[in-house]
């Protein structure tokens, strides 16, 4: 007899997976169902990952005991989404399921928190009440308190354990009853949100909102929308009103933001606007406790929370009847998950909107080229907002050539150009505020000549070669080309070609010397370790208790400080010359976003960019606020070298504490992949990662390229299955990789 079996992910930290037979008496057992199972000689619980014919084994499978709840926890649409994700990214369904059902939801330990409440059943008459007052004064007090609290009060509020006996007596007499009530663990319970009302939209916002709310024609599905609006054009207000519209119609809404802790202002705006519906808003992020996550997740599943704001993984929130999905700052890298399953939250959002037949809006001041290209192809609708609200002008951007500064400041490390220093003095004197920004990416460094700015590049791939100090080599991390480090600059012949670099700490030291009167704060991962440190520092800045902020990427996003009139970008080259074909795009985005922090109030803003390569397109187009111009030339470059969005690039990597094992395993995989390599797949050579060692593990990697992501993933997944790595080597496959370190 053909018997069905279930693959079950066992609850618990070790995340074991075992097969179980499905007894006929259990009826239908679906993927995503919670089950009770025998495990060794005890009972346990788990989640069904897969259902199918029993595997061929020479022992009999043990049967499932029972279903914990008959309904699977995952909606059919989310299940479809998971299947697609598994195929597209070449990730086993088992790992996808872990993303669909967060651990806190899979485990019973975090089930609902309850509290005891005392409910008034009937009030004794005057006479009985008097008697009670004399004989059992405590019971009398309790009764009056319950009555005063509109007939219901928590046991804790009455005094907890000390009154239990009296309450029990009252219950026996039929005056009150003791009940259990679920309490929500509300992560924001200590915060108050003042309700805000919708603003009157300007003409551009009005056009955008109308288009977003337009119903598709009969039988057609609505195309995804890219809302390309300059910084400060009022995109968030458009999202808020679009969400309002769908919620008014009884639908639910999902808002993805890059990272909750870095976008506190956006979250606050949503919470405030929907303050009247507070119980219907859920916020999902990585700092929730397991219990809070459990509660929020189930509130969403039961339809109690209709508006969900969250980071990447919130895309799997079990919302029903979705009306709209918003992906704010859709170009952000943080939407890509850097552990398995390595999905891209934005791409999954587009697919989910398609499956749910709902509206999706991707918003950005600097859209990713992938998304922009989709508007050019007509797959997405493009909406533009070109003006800042309230007629604020875009800031003036000046570019300082640090080669000239380096000559002027002979021998000293040129951190601050004269122009930036003079501008800072002027603004600070007026009581205005300054942000200094340093893009710091520690390890992967290119070789740049300080006198002339020349950067050594790979002639095949047009990306900077990475300097490996150990053996003085320059390596191309796309194709594997290698060369010896030159001892003088190939362009100008100067011997000063060498690494240049300084961090935020050094900058702080210099700035404190130059501006001894100013109040200065530094924001980077080192100084912001303490919980709420970022929130507190930003609050101080807002209250004008800080004059100058020196920060890394952490301050580039979504901040709105009307009194900031000057932004300095200290070394724009740091992000530009890294071995990544997206380096230019990132630099353009970063400059535009950081510049967008200046001049958001009445006062005009100014931006000073310091760079050794002032003519680089990412800097020049950003300077002229010309996204379209930038996108056009960048797309041309991508097309010419066969990079995304025209192809899909994936990374295959190995990691091990034994360097040789990591290397050997990848070489072996490379050989196997090469043996039957389909014609449409291009493969590079195995080589050490630019970040050669991290967390005690050596890293090797190779790049793959193809027109078909699925084809590539399926091919690699098949070879990986046939070539299991040694115990002490981890293999990583990253489709549509966003980071090549
Ligand atoms: P973006 O998200 O495009 O950067 P925001 O939505 O943050 O822009 O808007 C910038 C500022 O302008 C916010 O303080 C916002 O409250 C305000 N704002 C947005 N729309 C309007 C409007 N129609 N009228 C007045 N102020 C607005
Ligand atoms: Zn190359």
């Amino acid at each position: 007899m053909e018997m069905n079996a279930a693959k079950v992910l066992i609850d618990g930290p070790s995340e074991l997976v075992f097969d179980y037979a499905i007894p006929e008496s259990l009826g239908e057992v679906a993927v995503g169902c919670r089950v009770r199972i025998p495990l060794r000689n005890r009972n346990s619980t788990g989640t069904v990952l897969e259902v199918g014919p029993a595997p061929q084994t020479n022992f009999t499978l043990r049967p499932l005991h029972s279903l914990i709840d008959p309904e699977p926890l995952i909606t059919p649409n989310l299940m479809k989404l998971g299947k697609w994700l598994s195929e597209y990214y070449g990730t086993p369904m088992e790992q996808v399921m872990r993303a669909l059902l967060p651990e806190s939801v899979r485990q019973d330990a975090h089930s609902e928190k309850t509290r005891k409440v005392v409910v008034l059943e009937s009030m004794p008459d005057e006479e009985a009440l008097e008697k009670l007052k004399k004989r059992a004064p405590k019971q009398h007090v309790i009764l009056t308190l319950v009555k005063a609290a509109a007939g219901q009060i928590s046991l804790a509020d009455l005094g907890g354990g000390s009154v239990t006996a009296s309450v029990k007596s009252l219950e026996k007499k039929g005056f009150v009853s003791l009940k259990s009530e679920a309490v929500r663990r509300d992560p924001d319970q200590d915060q108050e949100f003042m309700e805000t009302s919708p603003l009157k939209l300007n003409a551009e916002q009005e056009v955008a909102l109308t288009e977003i709310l337009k119903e598709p024609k009969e039988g057609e599905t609505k195309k995804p929308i890219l809302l390309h609006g300059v910084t400060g054009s009022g995109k968030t207000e458009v999202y808020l009103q679009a969400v309002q519209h769908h919620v008014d119609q009884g639908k639910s809404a999902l808002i993805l933001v890059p990272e909750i802790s870095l976008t506190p202002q956006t979250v606050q705006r949503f919470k405030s606007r929907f303050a009247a519906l507070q119980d219907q808003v859920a916020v999902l992020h990585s700092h929730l406790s397991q219990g809070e996550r459990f509660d929020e997740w189930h509130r969403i599943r039961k339809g109690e929370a209709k508006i969900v704001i969250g980071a990447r993984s919130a895309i799997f929130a079990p919302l029903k009847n979705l009306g709209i999905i918003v992906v704010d700052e859709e170009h952000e890298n943080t939407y890509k998950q850097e552990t398995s399953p390595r999905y891209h939250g934005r791409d999954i959002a587009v697919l989910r909107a398609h499956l749910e037949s709902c509206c999706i809006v991707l918003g950005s001041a600097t859209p990713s080229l992938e998304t922009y290209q989709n508007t050019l192809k007509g797959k997405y609708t493009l909406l533009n907002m070109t003006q800042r609200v309230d007629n604020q002008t875009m800031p003036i951007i000046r570019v300082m050539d640090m080669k000239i500064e380096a000559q002027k400041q002979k021998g000293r490390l040129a951190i601050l150009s004269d122009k930036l220093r003079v501008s800072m003095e002027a603004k600070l004197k007026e009581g205005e505020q300054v942000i200094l920004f340093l893009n710091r990416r520690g390890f992967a460094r290119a070789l740049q000549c300080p006198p002339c700015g020349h950067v050594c590049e790979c002639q095949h791939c047009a990306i900077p070669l990475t300097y490996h100090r150990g053996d003085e080599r320059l390596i191309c991390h796309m194709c594997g080309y290698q060369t010896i480090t030159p001892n003088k600059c190939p362009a100008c012949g100067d011997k000063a070609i060498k690494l240049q670099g300084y961090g935020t700490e050094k900058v702080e030291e210099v700035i404190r010397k130059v501006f001894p009167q100013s109040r200065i704060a530094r924001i980077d991962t080192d100084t912001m370790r303490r919980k709420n440190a970022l929130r507190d520092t930003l609050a101080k800045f807002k209250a004008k208790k800080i004059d100058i902020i020196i920060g890394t990427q952490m301050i580039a996003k979504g901040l709105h400080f009307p009194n900031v009139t000057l932004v300095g970008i200290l070394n724009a080259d740091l992000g530009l010359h890294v071995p990544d074909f997206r380096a230019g795009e990132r630099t353009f985005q970063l400059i535009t976003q950081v510049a967008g922090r200046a001049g958001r109030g009445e006062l005009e803003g100014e931006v000073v960019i310091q760079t050794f390569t002032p003519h680089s397109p990412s800097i020049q187009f950003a300077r002229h606020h010309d996204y379209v111009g930038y996108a056009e030339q960048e797309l041309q470059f991508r097309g010419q070298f066969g990079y995304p969005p025209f192809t899909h690039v994936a990374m295959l990597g190995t990691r091990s504490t034994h360097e040789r094992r990591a290397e050997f395993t990848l070489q072996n995989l490379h050989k196997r992949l090469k043996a039957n390599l389909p014609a449409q797949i291009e493969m590079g050579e195995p080589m050490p990662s630019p970040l050669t060692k991290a967390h005690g593990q050596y890293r090797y990697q190779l790049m793959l390229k193809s027109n078909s992501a699925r084809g590539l993933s399926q091919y690699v997944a098949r070879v990986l299955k046939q070539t299991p790595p040694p115990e002490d080597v981890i293999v990583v496959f990253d489709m549509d990789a966003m980071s090549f370190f």
Side-chain angles (χ1 to χ4, degrees), residues 445 447 456 465-475 481-488 495 497-499:
R445 291 247 176 84
L447 209 56
C456 298
L465 295 164
T466 303
Y467 176 62
H468 284 243
R469 184 177 272 155
D471 45 11
E472 291 291 315
R473 274 185 305 170
L474 293 175
I475 302 183
Y481 170 81
Q482 302 196 0
T483 177
I484 300 168
T485 305
N487 44 24
K488 57 183 193 208
K495 285 195 176 143
I497 188 160
K498 61 172 196 301
L499 295 179

PDB file of all heavy atoms in Angstrom, residues 445 447 456 465-475 481-488 495 497-499:
ATOM      1  N   ARG A 445      40.128  46.913  -0.447  1.00  0.00           N
ATOM      2  CA  ARG A 445      40.632  48.196  -0.886  1.00  0.00           C
ATOM      3  C   ARG A 445      41.253  48.099  -2.258  1.00  0.00           C
ATOM      4  O   ARG A 445      41.950  47.149  -2.572  1.00  0.00           O
ATOM      5  CB  ARG A 445      41.704  48.687   0.089  1.00  0.00           C
ATOM      6  CG  ARG A 445      41.150  49.059   1.431  1.00  0.00           C
ATOM      7  CD  ARG A 445      41.268  50.550   1.664  1.00  0.00           C
ATOM      8  NE  ARG A 445      40.643  50.933   2.919  1.00  0.00           N
ATOM      9  CZ  ARG A 445      41.262  50.858   4.090  1.00  0.00           C
ATOM     10  NH1 ARG A 445      42.493  50.404   4.144  1.00  0.00           N
ATOM     11  NH2 ARG A 445      40.643  51.224   5.184  1.00  0.00           N
ATOM     12  N   LEU A 447      43.785  49.944  -5.158  1.00  0.00           N
ATOM     13  CA  LEU A 447      45.038  50.673  -5.103  1.00  0.00           C
ATOM     14  C   LEU A 447      44.801  51.994  -5.816  1.00  0.00           C
ATOM     15  O   LEU A 447      44.457  52.023  -6.990  1.00  0.00           O
ATOM     16  CB  LEU A 447      46.097  49.855  -5.831  1.00  0.00           C
ATOM     17  CG  LEU A 447      47.536  50.012  -5.379  1.00  0.00           C
ATOM     18  CD1 LEU A 447      47.673  49.714  -3.904  1.00  0.00           C
ATOM     19  CD2 LEU A 447      48.412  49.092  -6.201  1.00  0.00           C
ATOM     20  N   CYS A 456      43.828  51.074 -10.176  1.00  0.00           N
ATOM     21  CA  CYS A 456      44.133  49.918 -11.015  1.00  0.00           C
ATOM     22  C   CYS A 456      42.884  49.061 -11.215  1.00  0.00           C
ATOM     23  O   CYS A 456      42.292  48.598 -10.247  1.00  0.00           O
ATOM     24  CB  CYS A 456      45.240  49.069 -10.380  1.00  0.00           C
ATOM     25  SG  CYS A 456      46.777  49.980 -10.224  1.00  0.00           S
ATOM     26  N   LEU A 465      40.791  46.304  -9.192  1.00  0.00           N
ATOM     27  CA  LEU A 465      41.467  45.120  -8.679  1.00  0.00           C
ATOM     28  C   LEU A 465      41.609  45.287  -7.171  1.00  0.00           C
ATOM     29  O   LEU A 465      41.771  46.403  -6.676  1.00  0.00           O
ATOM     30  CB  LEU A 465      42.850  45.000  -9.326  1.00  0.00           C
ATOM     31  CG  LEU A 465      42.823  44.765 -10.837  1.00  0.00           C
ATOM     32  CD1 LEU A 465      44.193  45.037 -11.441  1.00  0.00           C
ATOM     33  CD2 LEU A 465      42.370  43.353 -11.156  1.00  0.00           C
ATOM     34  N   THR A 466      41.546  44.170  -6.460  1.00  0.00           N
ATOM     35  CA  THR A 466      41.659  44.244  -5.009  1.00  0.00           C
ATOM     36  C   THR A 466      43.092  43.977  -4.571  1.00  0.00           C
ATOM     37  O   THR A 466      43.741  43.045  -5.053  1.00  0.00           O
ATOM     38  CB  THR A 466      40.728  43.215  -4.350  1.00  0.00           C
ATOM     39  OG1 THR A 466      39.409  43.484  -4.801  1.00  0.00           O
ATOM     40  CG2 THR A 466      40.769  43.328  -2.844  1.00  0.00           C
ATOM     41  N   TYR A 467      43.548  44.791  -3.665  1.00  0.00           N
ATOM     42  CA  TYR A 467      44.907  44.685  -3.181  1.00  0.00           C
ATOM     43  C   TYR A 467      44.993  43.639  -2.084  1.00  0.00           C
ATOM     44  O   TYR A 467      44.281  43.730  -1.082  1.00  0.00           O
ATOM     45  CB  TYR A 467      45.341  46.047  -2.649  1.00  0.00           C
ATOM     46  CG  TYR A 467      46.702  46.077  -2.013  1.00  0.00           C
ATOM     47  CD1 TYR A 467      47.833  45.764  -2.749  1.00  0.00           C
ATOM     48  CD2 TYR A 467      46.846  46.436  -0.682  1.00  0.00           C
ATOM     49  CE1 TYR A 467      49.080  45.800  -2.160  1.00  0.00           C
ATOM     50  CE2 TYR A 467      48.087  46.476  -0.086  1.00  0.00           C
ATOM     51  CZ  TYR A 467      49.207  46.156  -0.825  1.00  0.00           C
ATOM     52  OH  TYR A 467      50.437  46.194  -0.250  1.00  0.00           O
ATOM     53  N   HIS A 468      45.808  42.614  -2.272  1.00  0.00           N
ATOM     54  CA  HIS A 468      46.030  41.601  -1.243  1.00  0.00           C
ATOM     55  C   HIS A 468      47.423  41.835  -0.659  1.00  0.00           C
ATOM     56  O   HIS A 468      48.419  41.592  -1.331  1.00  0.00           O
ATOM     57  CB  HIS A 468      45.913  40.192  -1.832  1.00  0.00           C
ATOM     58  CG  HIS A 468      44.503  39.792  -2.083  1.00  0.00           C
ATOM     59  ND1 HIS A 468      43.883  38.738  -1.460  1.00  0.00           N
ATOM     60  CD2 HIS A 468      43.565  40.344  -2.882  1.00  0.00           C
ATOM     61  CE1 HIS A 468      42.635  38.634  -1.875  1.00  0.00           C
ATOM     62  NE2 HIS A 468      42.415  39.608  -2.738  1.00  0.00           N
ATOM     63  N   ARG A 469      47.438  42.300   0.549  1.00  0.00           N
ATOM     64  CA  ARG A 469      48.696  42.753   1.125  1.00  0.00           C
ATOM     65  C   ARG A 469      49.678  41.604   1.322  1.00  0.00           C
ATOM     66  O   ARG A 469      50.857  41.748   1.058  1.00  0.00           O
ATOM     67  CB  ARG A 469      48.413  43.442   2.458  1.00  0.00           C
ATOM     68  CG  ARG A 469      49.653  44.023   3.093  1.00  0.00           C
ATOM     69  CD  ARG A 469      49.311  44.753   4.369  1.00  0.00           C
ATOM     70  NE  ARG A 469      48.962  46.137   4.117  1.00  0.00           N
ATOM     71  CZ  ARG A 469      48.198  46.855   4.906  1.00  0.00           C
ATOM     72  NH1 ARG A 469      47.660  46.320   5.952  1.00  0.00           N
ATOM     73  NH2 ARG A 469      47.952  48.107   4.638  1.00  0.00           N
ATOM     74  N   GLY A 470      49.164  40.451   1.747  1.00  0.00           N
ATOM     75  CA  GLY A 470      50.028  39.326   2.069  1.00  0.00           C
ATOM     76  C   GLY A 470      51.061  39.039   0.999  1.00  0.00           C
ATOM     77  O   GLY A 470      52.262  39.037   1.261  1.00  0.00           O
ATOM     78  N   ASP A 471      50.604  38.795  -0.242  1.00  0.00           N
ATOM     79  CA  ASP A 471      51.555  38.442  -1.290  1.00  0.00           C
ATOM     80  C   ASP A 471      51.679  39.543  -2.343  1.00  0.00           C
ATOM     81  O   ASP A 471      52.118  39.286  -3.472  1.00  0.00           O
ATOM     82  CB  ASP A 471      51.165  37.105  -1.940  1.00  0.00           C
ATOM     83  CG  ASP A 471      49.686  37.037  -2.227  1.00  0.00           C
ATOM     84  OD1 ASP A 471      49.020  38.085  -2.116  1.00  0.00           O
ATOM     85  OD2 ASP A 471      49.194  35.956  -2.578  1.00  0.00           O
ATOM     86  N   GLU A 472      51.281  40.757  -1.978  1.00  0.00           N
ATOM     87  CA  GLU A 472      51.448  41.911  -2.869  1.00  0.00           C
ATOM     88  C   GLU A 472      50.875  41.659  -4.260  1.00  0.00           C
ATOM     89  O   GLU A 472      51.499  41.971  -5.272  1.00  0.00           O
ATOM     90  CB  GLU A 472      52.942  42.298  -2.966  1.00  0.00           C
ATOM     91  CG  GLU A 472      53.499  42.888  -1.675  1.00  0.00           C
ATOM     92  CD  GLU A 472      52.913  44.264  -1.359  1.00  0.00           C
ATOM     93  OE1 GLU A 472      52.831  45.105  -2.272  1.00  0.00           O
ATOM     94  OE2 GLU A 472      52.525  44.483  -0.193  1.00  0.00           O
ATOM     95  N   ARG A 473      49.671  41.062  -4.302  1.00  0.00           N
ATOM     96  CA  ARG A 473      49.045  40.827  -5.590  1.00  0.00           C
ATOM     97  C   ARG A 473      47.826  41.732  -5.740  1.00  0.00           C
ATOM     98  O   ARG A 473      47.225  42.161  -4.763  1.00  0.00           O
ATOM     99  CB  ARG A 473      48.553  39.377  -5.679  1.00  0.00           C
ATOM    100  CG  ARG A 473      49.593  38.406  -6.149  1.00  0.00           C
ATOM    101  CD  ARG A 473      48.983  37.032  -6.312  1.00  0.00           C
ATOM    102  NE  ARG A 473      48.315  36.579  -5.087  1.00  0.00           N
ATOM    103  CZ  ARG A 473      47.531  35.491  -5.046  1.00  0.00           C
ATOM    104  NH1 ARG A 473      47.301  34.787  -6.136  1.00  0.00           N
ATOM    105  NH2 ARG A 473      46.981  35.128  -3.918  1.00  0.00           N
ATOM    106  N   LEU A 474      47.436  41.962  -6.994  1.00  0.00           N
ATOM    107  CA  LEU A 474      46.157  42.604  -7.279  1.00  0.00           C
ATOM    108  C   LEU A 474      45.295  41.545  -7.954  1.00  0.00           C
ATOM    109  O   LEU A 474      45.746  40.901  -8.911  1.00  0.00           O
ATOM    110  CB  LEU A 474      46.343  43.790  -8.227  1.00  0.00           C
ATOM    111  CG  LEU A 474      47.111  44.999  -7.679  1.00  0.00           C
ATOM    112  CD1 LEU A 474      47.313  46.025  -8.779  1.00  0.00           C
ATOM    113  CD2 LEU A 474      46.346  45.614  -6.511  1.00  0.00           C
ATOM    114  N   ILE A 475      44.084  41.346  -7.448  1.00  0.00           N
ATOM    115  CA  ILE A 475      43.237  40.287  -8.003  1.00  0.00           C
ATOM    116  C   ILE A 475      41.895  40.871  -8.451  1.00  0.00           C
ATOM    117  O   ILE A 475      41.311  41.708  -7.766  1.00  0.00           O
ATOM    118  CB  ILE A 475      42.957  39.188  -6.949  1.00  0.00           C
ATOM    119  CG1 ILE A 475      44.280  38.601  -6.444  1.00  0.00           C
ATOM    120  CG2 ILE A 475      42.069  38.095  -7.516  1.00  0.00           C
ATOM    121  CD1 ILE A 475      44.116  37.462  -5.460  1.00  0.00           C
ATOM    122  N   TYR A 481      41.481  37.354 -12.754  1.00  0.00           N
ATOM    123  CA  TYR A 481      42.727  37.933 -13.291  1.00  0.00           C
ATOM    124  C   TYR A 481      43.613  38.416 -12.142  1.00  0.00           C
ATOM    125  O   TYR A 481      43.141  38.983 -11.177  1.00  0.00           O
ATOM    126  CB  TYR A 481      42.368  39.092 -14.231  1.00  0.00           C
ATOM    127  CG  TYR A 481      43.548  39.936 -14.661  1.00  0.00           C
ATOM    128  CD1 TYR A 481      44.390  39.527 -15.691  1.00  0.00           C
ATOM    129  CD2 TYR A 481      43.809  41.144 -14.024  1.00  0.00           C
ATOM    130  CE1 TYR A 481      45.471  40.302 -16.079  1.00  0.00           C
ATOM    131  CE2 TYR A 481      44.886  41.938 -14.404  1.00  0.00           C
ATOM    132  CZ  TYR A 481      45.714  41.508 -15.426  1.00  0.00           C
ATOM    133  OH  TYR A 481      46.778  42.275 -15.801  1.00  0.00           O
ATOM    134  N   GLN A 482      44.929  38.145 -12.267  1.00  0.00           N
ATOM    135  CA  GLN A 482      45.852  38.545 -11.202  1.00  0.00           C
ATOM    136  C   GLN A 482      47.054  39.276 -11.766  1.00  0.00           C
ATOM    137  O   GLN A 482      47.492  39.009 -12.876  1.00  0.00           O
ATOM    138  CB  GLN A 482      46.395  37.318 -10.474  1.00  0.00           C
ATOM    139  CG  GLN A 482      45.331  36.447  -9.863  1.00  0.00           C
ATOM    140  CD  GLN A 482      45.926  35.495  -8.853  1.00  0.00           C
ATOM    141  OE1 GLN A 482      47.136  35.508  -8.632  1.00  0.00           O
ATOM    142  NE2 GLN A 482      45.077  34.695  -8.234  1.00  0.00           N
ATOM    143  N   THR A 483      47.596  40.170 -10.984  1.00  0.00           N
ATOM    144  CA  THR A 483      48.828  40.830 -11.405  1.00  0.00           C
ATOM    145  C   THR A 483      49.610  41.261 -10.164  1.00  0.00           C
ATOM    146  O   THR A 483      49.064  41.290  -9.063  1.00  0.00           O
ATOM    147  CB  THR A 483      48.525  42.033 -12.324  1.00  0.00           C
ATOM    148  OG1 THR A 483      49.744  42.689 -12.651  1.00  0.00           O
ATOM    149  CG2 THR A 483      47.601  43.021 -11.662  1.00  0.00           C
ATOM    150  N   ILE A 484      50.876  41.568 -10.365  1.00  0.00           N
ATOM    151  CA  ILE A 484      51.705  41.983  -9.227  1.00  0.00           C
ATOM    152  C   ILE A 484      51.449  43.454  -8.935  1.00  0.00           C
ATOM    153  O   ILE A 484      51.226  44.247  -9.850  1.00  0.00           O
ATOM    154  CB  ILE A 484      53.208  41.776  -9.558  1.00  0.00           C
ATOM    155  CG1 ILE A 484      53.459  40.294  -9.844  1.00  0.00           C
ATOM    156  CG2 ILE A 484      54.087  42.260  -8.414  1.00  0.00           C
ATOM    157  CD1 ILE A 484      54.814  40.027 -10.442  1.00  0.00           C
ATOM    158  N   THR A 485      51.461  43.824  -7.669  1.00  0.00           N
ATOM    159  CA  THR A 485      51.267  45.224  -7.298  1.00  0.00           C
ATOM    160  C   THR A 485      52.385  46.092  -7.876  1.00  0.00           C
ATOM    161  O   THR A 485      53.558  45.797  -7.658  1.00  0.00           O
ATOM    162  CB  THR A 485      51.289  45.356  -5.765  1.00  0.00           C
ATOM    163  OG1 THR A 485      50.323  44.464  -5.243  1.00  0.00           O
ATOM    164  CG2 THR A 485      50.941  46.766  -5.337  1.00  0.00           C
ATOM    165  N   PRO A 486      52.029  47.123  -8.643  1.00  0.00           N
ATOM    166  CA  PRO A 486      53.074  47.979  -9.219  1.00  0.00           C
ATOM    167  C   PRO A 486      53.712  48.822  -8.119  1.00  0.00           C
ATOM    168  O   PRO A 486      53.051  49.181  -7.156  1.00  0.00           O
ATOM    169  CB  PRO A 486      52.303  48.874 -10.194  1.00  0.00           C
ATOM    170  CG  PRO A 486      50.913  48.908  -9.663  1.00  0.00           C
ATOM    171  CD  PRO A 486      50.682  47.585  -8.976  1.00  0.00           C
ATOM    172  N   ASN A 487      55.016  49.138  -8.260  1.00  0.00           N
ATOM    173  CA  ASN A 487      55.599  49.980  -7.225  1.00  0.00           C
ATOM    174  C   ASN A 487      55.605  51.458  -7.619  1.00  0.00           C
ATOM    175  O   ASN A 487      56.041  52.308  -6.876  1.00  0.00           O
ATOM    176  CB  ASN A 487      56.980  49.501  -6.788  1.00  0.00           C
ATOM    177  CG  ASN A 487      57.835  49.124  -7.984  1.00  0.00           C
ATOM    178  OD1 ASN A 487      57.594  49.626  -9.092  1.00  0.00           O
ATOM    179  ND2 ASN A 487      58.798  48.255  -7.774  1.00  0.00           N
ATOM    180  N   LYS A 488      55.143  51.736  -8.859  1.00  0.00           N
ATOM    181  CA  LYS A 488      54.817  53.135  -9.156  1.00  0.00           C
ATOM    182  C   LYS A 488      53.542  53.197  -9.982  1.00  0.00           C
ATOM    183  O   LYS A 488      53.133  52.217 -10.597  1.00  0.00           O
ATOM    184  CB  LYS A 488      55.992  53.826  -9.849  1.00  0.00           C
ATOM    185  CG  LYS A 488      56.437  53.149 -11.116  1.00  0.00           C
ATOM    186  CD  LYS A 488      57.652  53.863 -11.680  1.00  0.00           C
ATOM    187  CE  LYS A 488      57.858  53.371 -13.093  1.00  0.00           C
ATOM    188  NZ  LYS A 488      59.176  53.393 -13.593  1.00  0.00           N
ATOM    189  N   LYS A 495      55.645  57.289  -7.123  1.00  0.00           N
ATOM    190  CA  LYS A 495      55.868  56.125  -6.254  1.00  0.00           C
ATOM    191  C   LYS A 495      54.950  56.115  -5.031  1.00  0.00           C
ATOM    192  O   LYS A 495      54.971  55.188  -4.235  1.00  0.00           O
ATOM    193  CB  LYS A 495      57.338  56.092  -5.817  1.00  0.00           C
ATOM    194  CG  LYS A 495      58.223  55.628  -6.962  1.00  0.00           C
ATOM    195  CD  LYS A 495      59.601  55.245  -6.469  1.00  0.00           C
ATOM    196  CE  LYS A 495      60.414  54.688  -7.635  1.00  0.00           C
ATOM    197  NZ  LYS A 495      61.811  55.077  -7.592  1.00  0.00           N
ATOM    198  N   ILE A 497      51.961  55.607  -4.855  1.00  0.00           N
ATOM    199  CA  ILE A 497      50.753  54.778  -4.958  1.00  0.00           C
ATOM    200  C   ILE A 497      50.732  53.807  -3.783  1.00  0.00           C
ATOM    201  O   ILE A 497      51.602  53.000  -3.583  1.00  0.00           O
ATOM    202  CB  ILE A 497      50.678  54.046  -6.316  1.00  0.00           C
ATOM    203  CG1 ILE A 497      49.316  53.359  -6.449  1.00  0.00           C
ATOM    204  CG2 ILE A 497      51.812  53.050  -6.498  1.00  0.00           C
ATOM    205  CD1 ILE A 497      48.927  53.023  -7.877  1.00  0.00           C
ATOM    206  N   LYS A 498      49.731  53.944  -2.953  1.00  0.00           N
ATOM    207  CA  LYS A 498      49.659  53.099  -1.765  1.00  0.00           C
ATOM    208  C   LYS A 498      48.280  53.240  -1.158  1.00  0.00           C
ATOM    209  O   LYS A 498      47.456  54.009  -1.633  1.00  0.00           O
ATOM    210  CB  LYS A 498      50.741  53.504  -0.766  1.00  0.00           C
ATOM    211  CG  LYS A 498      50.603  54.943  -0.279  1.00  0.00           C
ATOM    212  CD  LYS A 498      51.576  55.186   0.837  1.00  0.00           C
ATOM    213  CE  LYS A 498      51.274  56.423   1.635  1.00  0.00           C
ATOM    214  NZ  LYS A 498      51.228  57.699   1.051  1.00  0.00           N
ATOM    215  N   LEU A 499      48.054  52.522  -0.127  1.00  0.00           N
ATOM    216  CA  LEU A 499      46.734  52.590   0.512  1.00  0.00           C
ATOM    217  C   LEU A 499      46.580  53.873   1.274  1.00  0.00           C
ATOM    218  O   LEU A 499      47.499  54.364   1.901  1.00  0.00           O
ATOM    219  CB  LEU A 499      46.559  51.428   1.480  1.00  0.00           C
ATOM    220  CG  LEU A 499      46.541  50.073   0.824  1.00  0.00           C
ATOM    221  CD1 LEU A 499      46.391  49.020   1.895  1.00  0.00           C
ATOM    222  CD2 LEU A 499      45.404  49.983  -0.159  1.00  0.00           C
TER     223      LEU A 499
END
